[in-house]
Amino acid sequence: MTIKEKQDEVIDDFSFMENWEDKYEYIIQLGKELPLIPEEFKTSDNLIKGCQSRVWLHTELKDGQLIFTADSDAVITKGLVSLMISVLSGHTPKEIADAEIFFIDAIGLSSHLSPTRSNGLLSMLKQMKLYSVAYQAKINQQ
C-alpha cells in the first residue's frame, strides 16, 4: 500500500468510532500492540526531542525501505507513534520525505490532543521525515 492508501485506511478505521473516548481507547490499544524494541535501541540518540513523554525511535534501511520501531513510556504516546509507524514504515526514504501527511487532521487528532501531545506528535513526524531525508542523501551518494 502507498502512504496515501495507508492514511486513507487510518481515516476509515477512525470513522467508525462515534466519540473521542472510543478513539483514545483505540489509540491506547495500538500502543499496546506495538512490538517492543530491543533495550539496546533505547538510547539518548534515539529519543525524540520535543516530546513530553520519552519516545525512542529506531530506524533501519532494509531492502531500500525504512523500517521504524519505537517505544514510549506513556500509553497514548505509544499509540500515536504506532499510528505514525503504520503509515510510514516500509516505504522508501524518498516516499516518506515527499509524503503529505493528512490523516492527523482528517481524524481530528490536531484538535483533540493536548498542546504538549500535539507538539510531541509533530516532533515524531519531523524526526521520521529527517531520517528519511538523511537516508535518501546517503543513497544518493552511493
Side-chain angles (χ1 to χ4, degrees):
M1 264 198 278
T2 66
I3 291 174
K4 182 191 178 312
E5 290 168 338
K6 287 182 178 181
Q7 290 184 87
D8 289 338
E9 188 176 72
V10 169
I11 292 166
D12 285 346
D13 289 347
F14 274 80
S15 71
F16 293 108
M17 293 169 244
E18 295 182 18
N19 59 56
W20 267 94
E21 187 175 308
D22 292 341
K23 291 177 184 185
Y24 282 127
E25 286 179 29
Y26 180 63
I27 291 168
I28 289 168
Q29 186 60 39
L30 290 173
K32 289 178 180 176
E33 294 170 2
L34 185 67
L36 296 176
I37 66 171
E39 286 297 316
E40 67 203 50
F41 296 140
K42 288 186 175 183
T43 64
S44 59
D45 287 344
N46 285 341
L47 272 175
I48 294 178
K49 313 311 183 248
C51 286
Q52 184 177 14
S53 305
R54 294 190 315 162
V55 180
W56 297 271
L57 180 68
H58 178 71
T59 310
E60 290 183 66
L61 184 67
K62 289 186 181 176
D63 300 322
Q65 298 179 329
L66 286 182
I67 306 300
F68 295 105
T69 53
D71 197 5
S72 176
D73 59 2
V75 289
I76 288 185
T77 305
K78 193 169 179 175
L80 293 173
V81 77
S82 176
L83 269 175
M84 296 304 302
I85 288 172
S86 73
V87 169
L88 295 176
S89 192
H91 294 280
T92 67
K94 181 168 177 30
E95 289 169 333
I96 296 168
D98 293 345
E100 178 190 339
I101 304 302
F102 57 86
F103 81 93
I104 295 169
D105 289 332
I107 64 175
L109 272 177
S110 303
S111 57
H112 284 89
L113 291 177
S114 68
T116 54
R117 283 223 172 89
S118 285
N119 288 340
L121 182 60
L122 292 175
S123 294
M124 290 175 210
L125 175 58
K126 180 180 175 185
Q127 190 62 49
M128 293 170 107
K129 290 269 194 174
L130 284 172
Y131 280 138
S132 68
V133 169
Y135 276 98
Q136 185 60 46
K138 189 174 180 181
I139 290 168
N140 289 343
Q141 288 178 348
Q142 294 176 353

